[in-house]
Amino acid sequence: MKIIKAIRGTKDIYGEESEKFTYVSKIAQEIFETYGYSYIKTPIFEDTELFKRGIGEGTDVVEKEMYTFLDKGERSITLRPENTASIVRAYLENGIYAKEDISRFYYNGSMFRYERPQAGRQREFNQIGVEVLGESSPILDAEVIAMSYDFLSKLGISDLEVKINSVGCNESRENYRNTLLNYLEPQKENLCEDCRNRIDKNPLRVLDCKNDKCKEIVKNAPSIIDSLDKDEKEHYENVKKYLNLFNISYIEDSRLVRGLDYYSSTVYEIVTNKLGAQGAVLGGGRYDSLLKQLGDKDIPAVGFASGVERIMMLLDDFQKSNPFIYIAWIGENVKEEAIKISQILRNIGLKTCIEYNERGMKSHMKKANKLGVKYCIIIGEDEVSKNTIILKDFENRTQEELSFTTALEILKDSRFL
Ligand code: HAM
C-alpha cells in the first residue's frame, strides 16, 4: 500500500526537535510574562479580506502565498499567513481597547505561506511573537526590540545582528516612493525580472532584493530616512537613544523595508549568518495605521514575530533530556510495588519510566541503556521483603542496596546535578 506522506513544506516535530520546540516556547513565555504580556490565541483561519486589507494587496504574501479556499458555505477563508492582522481583529472585535489603556499579547502557533520550501523556509511554520496595542512611545519600540533580543540571548543564540530602520507613515513613504522611482527608472533594464515588476507595484521591495545586480544598484539609492517628516525623525532618534539605554547594539539599515505593508515607523529584524539564505530569525516594527485601516481606530501598535523552526536550527548545544529513572522489576508479585514506586517518584517531579512486561535482568539493562537514564531502580521479591531497592547509577557504574527512603534522598539530591 502507498504510504501517505506529509504535504510538501510541512514537517512533523518529534523527539529531540519537539523538546527544542517546547524549550523555546517555555523561555518565550517566561520572558514575555516578566515584561507583562499575556497569551492570546486566535483562530488559524480568518476571512480572506482581513489579510488583504491588513497585509496589503501588493505584497508577495497576499499576492502569491496565501492558502485561500471557499468553505462549504462559500465563504472565502485563508489560513493565517501571519498573526498581526488577526490580533488586531480580535482586539477590535472584542472591544479590548475600551477595557485597558495598553494591551500586551504574545502568541505561539502555526502560520501558512505557499513559498518554495528550503532549509528554514516551510509552508506551515511556527511563529512566536508579540503585539502591544495602545502606546506610541519610542520607549516601547526599544523595549520590544530589547525583549526580543533578550529572548534569543536567553536561548543561548549568539552572533545576532539587530538591524533597524524607519519607513515612515503613508505620506512620507509616498514621497520616498517617488524619490526612489526617479532613482530606479533609468536603471530599470539592469534590474532582475521580479524587480522590474516591483517597480510598478511596490518599488520599496527592490531595496531588499537578494539578486546581486539589484543589490549593487540599490547600494547608492537615496535613504528613506531623508524622506521622514520631523516627528518621524525624532521618533526614530529616540528609539535609537532608548536602544542604547537598553544596551542593545544595532545597525541602521535604510534598505530594510519588510515584506508587509502595515508598518508605519520603526522596523527591525534580527538576523544571523548561520542560516544561509534564510537569515531573518525575527522581524517586526510599529504599525500605527493598521487599526485605522481595519477598524477606524487611532490606536498605535508595535510587535514582532520569530520563526520557531529557524530558532531551533540555531540551538547548537541543546541537550535532549532523557528520562531520569528506569524501574526494572523481576517477578510478577513485585509488579504492583514497582508501580507504586513509579508514582511516588513522579509525584516529586522525577522523570520516571517503568517497564510494563516481565523481563530478565539483561533485557532490562539493555532497555535502560537505550533510554539513556541516569538511574535504574531494580526490585525483586527479595528486596520487597526487606523493604529495600537496588539503585544502579548508570553514569558512575555503581550499584548498592538501600532502603527506599535513603534512595529517595539520593535521587532528589542528584536531579539537578
Ligand atoms: P515576517 O517577517 O513575515 O513578519 O515573519 C517573522 C518571522 O517568521 C521571520 O523572521 C522568520 O523567522 C519567520 N518566517 C517567515 N516566513 C517563514 C517561512 N516560510 N518558514 C519559516 N519561517 C518563516 C511577520 O509575520 C509579522 N507579523 C511580524 C510582526 C508582528 N510585525 C509586527 N508585529
Side-chain angles (χ1 to χ4, degrees), residues 82 84 107 113 115 120-122 125 127 131 258 260 262-263 280-285 287 303-305 307 310:
E82 59 101 55
T84 309
Y107 51 86
R113 295 185 194 175
E115 293 191 84
R121 191 160 78 194
Q122 293 160 226
F125 59 99
Q127 274 189 350
E131 311 296 343
R258 312 267 305 129
L260 313 156
Y262 47 62
Y263 295 107
V281 189
L282 185 153
Y287 47 95
F304 73 80
R310 289 189 194 175

Side-chain angles (χ1 to χ4, degrees), residues 6-75:
I7 304 291
R8 184 168 142 79
T10 69
K11 236 180 171 178
D12 302 310
I13 299 178
Y14 61 94
E16 187 169 326
E17 286 299 287
S18 71
E19 282 199 28
K20 281 186 185 174
F21 189 92
T22 43
Y23 171 62
V24 174
S25 306
K26 194 177 123 218
I27 297 291
Q29 178 178 0
E30 273 172 23
I31 300 217
F32 301 163
E33 287 181 358
T34 59
Y35 280 81
Y37 287 68
S38 65
Y39 180 68
I40 186 167
K41 183 177 168 358
T42 56
I44 278 186
F45 53 81
E46 300 267 2
D47 187 330
T48 302
E49 189 57 25
L50 173 68
F51 302 117
K52 281 192 179 169
R53 238 206 280 169
I55 299 171
E57 302 246 20
T59 59
D60 282 354
V61 171
V62 170
E63 218 169 56
K64 305 184 203 155
E65 298 169 0
M66 294 210 300
Y67 278 89
T68 298
F69 57 95
L70 288 182
D71 72 1
K72 292 193 195 305
E74 301 281 303
R75 302 170 193 90

